[in-house]
Amino acid sequence: MSFVTRFAPSPTGYLHLGHALSSLTAFDAAREAGGRFILRIEDIDQGRARPEFEAAIFEDLAWLGVEWEEPVRRQSAHLADYEAALQSLIARNLVYRCFRTRKEVAEAIANAPHGAAEEMFRGEALPPDEEAAKLAAGEAFAWRLSLKKARAALGPAYFALVFEDENGPVRAEPEKHGDVILARKDFPASYHLASVWDDALQGVTHVIRGEDLRDAAHLHVLLQKLLDLPQPVYRHHRLVLGEDGKRLAKRDAAATLRALRERGKTPEDVRAMLEA
Ligand code: GLU
C-alpha cells in the first residue's frame, strides 16, 4: 500500500517543540512505511504569513534532520485551485453568502436554543432581493458551507460518513463545526478548503497531525465527499505542553527550535525532550 504523509505548517511564527513532534512523527512514519514525506507551506493567510518565518521553517526542519520532497507547494501560489473548488460548491448551491459580522455571529449563537459554541453557527442565504441590495452596496461577506444543503445533497451517505483514525473507525459529525467559512469576499479559501484540496492533489494517504486538529477531520471528510476527493487515514499525536501545562503556542519563545538551538541543544536533545 502506498503511504504519503505531510507536515503543513503556516509561516506565522517560528516552529516550536510541538511542530517538531508533528514533523518528526510524520517523517518517521513515512520512513518506517517506506513511503513519502511532503512539506507544504500553508500561507493563504497573507495578513499573517511572513517570508522570514517560511525561511525559518526550512532551516529549522533541515536542522532537525527532516527531509522533504522538492518542490514544496506554497498555497499562496495556487489560489485559483481553491477558488475553483469553491466555485463547484457554489454551482451546486452547497454554500451561501453570510454578511454577518463576527459580533452578529456571536449574538446569533448566544441566542441559539442550546447555547451553541462559537464555531457552531448555522445560517442560510438571505432572500435574493436582500442579498442583491447588500452586494450592490459592496458589503463584505463570507461563503459558508451549508450543513443543511450538504445533508440534503448527500442523503443517507451524509450519515454514513466514517473515517479512520488511530482509534479505529469514527462516525463523522460535521455538526461539531456548524456552517464553517470556506472563503471570504476578498480571500479565496479557508484553511479547511485549501488543506483538504491539497491533501487530495498531493496524494496524501495519511494525515498525521496534533490532537488539536482531531475535530477538523469530522469536517474534512464531509468536504472530501462533497468535492469527490479520496479520503485519507487520520492519525493524531499528543500535544506538547509548556511549563504552565498549557499547549505550546507560537508566542512561547523559549520553546522555539531556534531558541533551543541557540541554547546549544542538538536535534538528538529535541528528540529526547519529545520522548520524555
Ligand atoms: N497549517 C496548519 C497549522 O499550522 C496545519 C494543518 C494540518 O496539518 O492540517 O496549524
Side-chain angles (χ1 to χ4, degrees):
M1 190 189 91
S2 73
F3 186 106
V4 183
T5 191
R6 56 29 165 217
F7 175 55
S10 300
T12 55
Y14 291 117
L15 298 187
H16 54 59
L17 276 174
H19 298 107
L21 181 60
S22 269
S23 58
L24 289 171
T25 305
F27 177 65
D28 291 350
R31 281 227 155 151
E32 225 161 89
R36 294 170 48 210
F37 173 83
I38 290 171
L39 171 64
R40 182 168 76 228
I41 301 294
E42 298 207 325
D43 62 346
I44 40 172
D45 186 349
Q46 287 289 296
R48 292 171 62 223
R50 300 261 182 281
E52 62 269 29
F53 292 137
E54 183 185 302
I57 287 172
F58 297 136
E59 197 181 300
D60 292 346
L61 290 180
W63 173 76
L64 257 190
V66 171
E67 291 161 22
W68 58 89
E69 294 180 1
E70 296 286 352
V72 169
R73 183 169 170 94
R74 185 182 286 115
Q75 290 189 324
S76 60
H78 300 279
L79 300 182
D81 284 18
Y82 317 127
E83 174 71 30
L86 177 69
Q87 285 301 334
S88 86
L89 297 173
I90 294 173
R92 284 179 291 150
N93 198 23
L94 295 169
V95 289
Y96 61 92
R97 287 191 187 89
C98 175
F99 291 88
R100 290 187 203 231
T101 60
R102 242 176 245 266
K103 190 160 160 260
E104 287 166 347
V105 168
E107 281 164 7
I109 289 165
N111 294 329
H114 311 293
E118 159 83 72
E119 59 273 17
M120 305 264 287
F121 177 76
R122 303 284 288 271
E124 55 193 326
L126 291 173
D129 51 337
E130 266 183 58
E131 183 171 289
K134 284 186 184 287
L135 288 175
E139 277 192 41
F141 62 84
W143 286 106
R144 286 184 186 270
L145 176 67
S146 167
L147 285 184
K148 196 167 121 191
K149 296 275 170 62
R151 212 163 48 217
L154 295 179
Y158 180 93
F159 298 98
L161 270 179
V162 171
F163 62 93
E164 191 202 316
D165 75 5
E166 63 281 8
N167 301 315
V170 182
R171 194 180 85 68
E173 292 173 65
E175 297 74 19
K176 283 175 182 284
H177 295 269
D179 289 352
V180 289
I181 291 181
L182 293 187
R184 292 184 192 275
K185 185 183 171 197
D186 299 312
F187 202 70
S190 66
Y191 150 68
H192 297 299
L193 187 59
S195 189
V196 159
W197 184 262
D198 283 351
D199 282 337
L201 183 85
Q202 297 188 291
V204 170
T205 60
H206 290 71
V207 169
I208 300 174
R209 59 191 175 194
E211 188 73 57
D212 52 334
L213 286 168
R214 176 179 293 280
D215 277 355
H218 290 261
L219 169 67
H220 292 181
V221 296
L222 173 61
L223 287 173
Q224 286 147 10
K225 188 83 186 166
L226 294 172
L227 293 166
D228 201 17
L229 303 173
Q231 192 190 88
V233 169
Y234 291 88
R235 299 273 180 267
H236 304 97
H237 60 74
R238 68 178 176 87
L239 299 181
V240 179
L241 302 182
E243 276 164 16
D244 55 1
K246 296 207 184 104
R247 88 180 161 94
L248 286 179
K250 286 191 167 135
R251 62 184 171 276
D252 291 310
T256 62
L257 298 180
R258 42 200 46 215
L260 293 166
R261 187 158 82 229
E262 276 157 24
R263 290 210 302 275
K265 301 283 186 205
T266 65
E268 294 69 38
D269 293 335
V270 170
R271 278 195 182 261
M273 287 166 83
L274 294 173
E275 271 156 30

